[in-house]
Amino acid sequence: MTANVTTNPSQLLLLELVDKCIGSRIHIVGRDKEIFGTLLGFDDFVDTVLEDVTEFGVTPDGRKIITLDQILLNGNNITMLVPGGEGPEVRVDFLVDSIL
């Protein structure tokens, strides 16, 4: 007797969903920071390569914003992946103070 297995095409595996985001902007929530960038690729461990990256973190001195051309992010540090977005609201006076 053979089992009749039907699959719902609307159900995707996690890595299939992430694969559909390659070339798009992605928001990554990590353990201690949030990262926004364009997804270039990833592996089975969700080690992720991004370009045009903005990293938002919190230090004892306040918020810090870092921009990078590219980054390789270890999948162990990823808590959540969210397609789209440009980052948290950033006050302009904070940016001016951090530049000066």
Side-chain angles (χ1 to χ4, degrees):
M1 177 177 212
T2 61
N4 185 7
V5 178
T6 60
T7 58
N8 185 350
S10 67
Q11 293 178 339
L12 294 174
L13 297 174
L14 174 63
L15 295 181
E16 290 174 338
L17 181 60
V18 176
D19 189 53
K20 291 184 179 293
C21 295
I22 290 179
S24 301
R25 298 289 290 173
I26 193 163
H27 171 193
I28 297 177
V29 177
R31 293 180 183 179
D32 57 352
K33 59 184 135 192
E34 294 185 37
I35 298 172
F36 296 84
T38 302
L39 180 63
L40 293 180
F42 65 96
D43 63 10
D44 290 340
F45 301 102
V46 195
D47 299 326
T48 306
V49 179
L50 302 168
E51 70 177 355
D52 299 326
V53 177
T54 304
E55 178 181 313
F56 297 87
V58 178
T59 66
D61 299 328
R63 294 176 70 183
K64 99 180 153 174
I65 300 172
I66 300 171
T67 57
L68 303 163
D69 291 331
Q70 283 191 340
I71 189 172
L72 170 62
L73 184 62
N74 186 311
N76 288 330
N77 295 321
I78 296 175
T79 303
M80 181 172 49
L81 296 167
V82 182
E86 287 300 319
E89 294 264 336
V90 179
R91 294 189 347 250
V92 174
D93 59 336
F94 169 75
L95 288 174
V96 171
D97 290 342
S98 65
I99 293 171
L100 299 176

